[in-house]
Amino acid sequence: QITLRESGPTLVKPTQTLTLTCTFSGFSLSTTGVGVGWIRQPPGKALEWLALIYWNDDKLYTPSLKSRLTVTKDTSKNQVALTMTNVDPVDTATYYCAHRPGFWSGYFSFWGQGVLVTVSS
Amino acid sequence: DIQMTQSPSSLSASVGDRVTITCQASQDINNYLNWYQQRPGEAPKLLIFDTSALETGVPSRFSGSGSGTQFTLTISNLEPEDIATYHCQQYGGLPLTFGGGTKVEIK
């Protein structure tokens, strides 16, 4: 059974750096083809894909936020981290991590429950 | 970026109705289109991948079709538990992009 859970601060101040952790079970990020993605959803708005990290440490980022995002993995701990620098109130959103089952699988098959991050002074 | 336009943005239908949601891509994405269901207060859940493949455990009243730039999600017999927002997502090009969502309510 695959599960994912996001953790991190729920309130951050503008200009600070946000770090979220995704802890997962039921799969390994050392398995060929597997990836973990980050997606966010501002309150009442659409989903926005942010980043993706693969088993081989390849990383993809959405271009509009690429300069502010870093995604890393710790395979031994079954964790993936997302760092976002210089946050702004527009970054207020629920942040989800999700499992991508294969390199050629373009979908996210399992999602965490999400963590609501508010950016406010 | 490939823009995904969903319509309608919301709809109200009766239990037992046939419901159709469309998703239009700004360029050809082949069949690289997925659908997710997001119930109120919950995370999205994969319903259909690669345009028409039903995820394991998803009821057969859900179906998907389309190709190129036009795609459709159909609920053949609306049930009360189908109250949710439905999102399309393309992976025909980077960045991955989602539609704006369609909120389905029961009349």
Side-chain angles (χ1 to χ4, degrees), chain A residues 37-50:
Chain A
W38 286 93
I39 303 101
R40 71 179 179 180
Q41 186 174 35
K45 296 189 177 180
L47 297 163
E48 178 185 21
W49 170 70
L50 301 176

Side-chain angles (χ1 to χ4, degrees), chain A:
Chain A
Q1 179 189 0
I2 290 176
T3 64
L4 305 98
R5 178 173 47 86
E6 306 85 353
S7 59
T10 57
L11 179 64
V12 291
K13 293 181 179 352
T15 75
Q16 287 186 337
T17 295
L18 168 68
T19 298
L20 298 173
T21 300
C22 176
T23 304
F24 56 86
S25 63
F27 68 95
S28 173
L29 247 186
S30 59
T31 300
T32 299
V34 171
V36 171
W38 286 93
I39 303 101
R40 71 179 179 180
Q41 186 174 35
K45 296 189 177 180
L47 297 163
E48 178 185 21
W49 170 70
L50 301 176
L52 185 58
I53 187 165
Y54 285 106
W55 85 103
N56 59 359
D57 212 35
D58 277 355
K59 300 163 189 177
L60 296 172
Y61 298 98
T62 192
S64 62
L65 294 170
K66 186 175 182 177
S67 63
R68 299 172 51 209
L69 295 176
T70 303
V71 63
T72 59
K73 66 181 177 68
D74 186 332
T75 305
S76 65
K77 292 184 178 179
N78 281 351
Q79 289 182 333
V80 170
L82 178 74
T83 298
M84 177 183 288
T85 61
N86 193 26
V87 298
D88 181 89
V90 300
D91 297 313
T92 294
T94 297
Y95 287 75
Y96 298 100
C97 62
H99 168 258
R100 181 155 162 163
F103 188 80
W104 298 111
S105 303
Y107 53 89
F108 296 103
S109 52
F110 294 92
W111 295 57
Q113 64 189 16
V115 58
L116 174 60
V117 177
T118 301
V119 180
S120 174
S121 54

Side-chain angles (χ1 to χ4, degrees), chain B residues 55-99:
Chain B
E55 173 68 339
T56 303
V58 173
S60 58
R61 64 180 180 274
F62 290 93
S63 64
S65 64
S67 67
T69 61
Q70 294 279 355
F71 301 86
T72 299
L73 171 69
T74 299
I75 309 173
S76 61
N77 188 4
L78 190 68
E79 297 283 345
E81 60 263 32
D82 299 335
I83 294 173
T85 298
Y86 294 85
H87 308 272
C88 61
Q89 174 243 320
Q90 68 79 24
Y91 65 104
L94 289 174
L96 308 178
T97 49
F98 291 84

